[in-house]
């Protein structure tokens, strides 16, 4: 059974940076599309960024130019580099792996942007 474990969340001031990591195990990764989603209090979960097995990326409009998703297939890890953080980026960030109808979610990591 596959497992995703996120890390790297925390408290940061507006304008600051964080890098989230998601380590995959249990034969998840190579051919999976990996993604980062987030859910703020009282809001629906939303897609932040995805990256296909071939490296094609897609971003939520509000994070374009500030966030970068990348993957290291040798380490079975996907990253989300977040720069220029804003208070509205505060949320629990979740990692997702998907291939066809098979989906895995991580447990989430809290990102709080506050002065």
């Amino acid at each position: 059974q596959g497992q995703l474990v996120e890390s790297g969340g925390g408290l940061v001031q507006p304008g600051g940076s964080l890098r989230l990591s998601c380590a995959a195990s249990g034969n998840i990764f190579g051919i999976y599309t990996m993604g980062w989603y987030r859910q703020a209090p009282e809001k629906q979960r939303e897609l932040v960024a995805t990256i296909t097995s071939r490296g094609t990326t897609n971003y939520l409009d509000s994070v374009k130019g500030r966030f970068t998703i990348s993957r290291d297939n040798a380490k079975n890890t996907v990253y989300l580099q977040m720069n220029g953080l804003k208070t509205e980026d505060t949320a629990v960030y979740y990692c997702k792996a998907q291939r066809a109808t098979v989906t895995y979610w991580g447990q989430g990591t809290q990102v709080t942007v506050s002065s």
Side-chain angles (χ1 to χ4, degrees), residues 1-73:
Q1 192 72 354
Q3 186 176 15
L4 300 173
V5 179
E6 301 103 332
S7 62
L11 173 64
V12 63
Q13 292 185 344
S17 298
L18 282 175
R19 188 176 82 154
L20 304 183
S21 300
C22 172
S25 61
N27 294 321
I28 303 175
F29 209 73
I31 58 175
Y32 281 74
T33 290
M34 303 299 295
W36 287 97
Y37 290 69
R38 67 187 182 188
Q39 187 165 17
E42 302 182 357
K43 292 188 177 181
Q44 291 193 341
R45 191 172 297 189
E46 63 179 356
L47 181 151
V48 176
T50 60
I51 184 167
T52 68
S53 59
R54 295 187 176 186
T56 301
T57 58
N58 181 51
Y59 294 94
L60 177 69
D61 283 347
S62 63
V63 308
K64 286 180 180 177
R66 300 189 296 124
F67 291 10
T68 303
I69 189 171
S70 61
R71 62 193 294 163
D72 185 334
N73 291 334

